Amino acid sequence: MMKKNNYEMTTVYNYVRLLDNGLSEKEEKLRSSVERYLYDLNRARENALLLEQLLA
């Protein structure tokens, strides 16, 4: 028997739009942290590609 979850599927765009409708201070800090993490992740990928090209 499958376990029934009460999850709702959504897109990232809809989730961000939902968050933009009003965030508490704690939620705003979380959003800021996620944005910073994604920015750092993208920069790390770009740096890895550049390093790979330099070493090739």
Side-chain angles (χ1 to χ4, degrees):
M1 182 195 267
M2 290 188 64
K3 186 176 171 183
K4 202 171 193 186
N5 293 322
N6 291 327
Y7 298 123
E8 181 179 335
M9 296 299 291
T10 187
T11 63
V12 172
Y13 173 79
N14 286 338
Y15 181 68
V16 170
R17 197 180 73 205
L18 178 68
L19 291 176
D20 283 341
N21 286 335
L23 301 174
S24 70
E25 185 177 335
K26 183 178 179 182
E27 291 168 330
E28 187 62 44
K29 286 180 182 179
L30 177 61
R31 179 177 177 221
S32 177
S33 295
V34 169
E35 287 176 349
R36 181 68 190 181
Y37 170 78
L38 293 174
Y39 172 79
D40 289 343
L41 182 64
N42 188 42
R43 188 169 45 165
R45 284 183 184 152
E46 290 174 2
N47 288 342
L49 287 173
L50 179 61
L51 181 60
E52 185 178 312
Q53 291 173 355
L54 290 172
L55 295 175

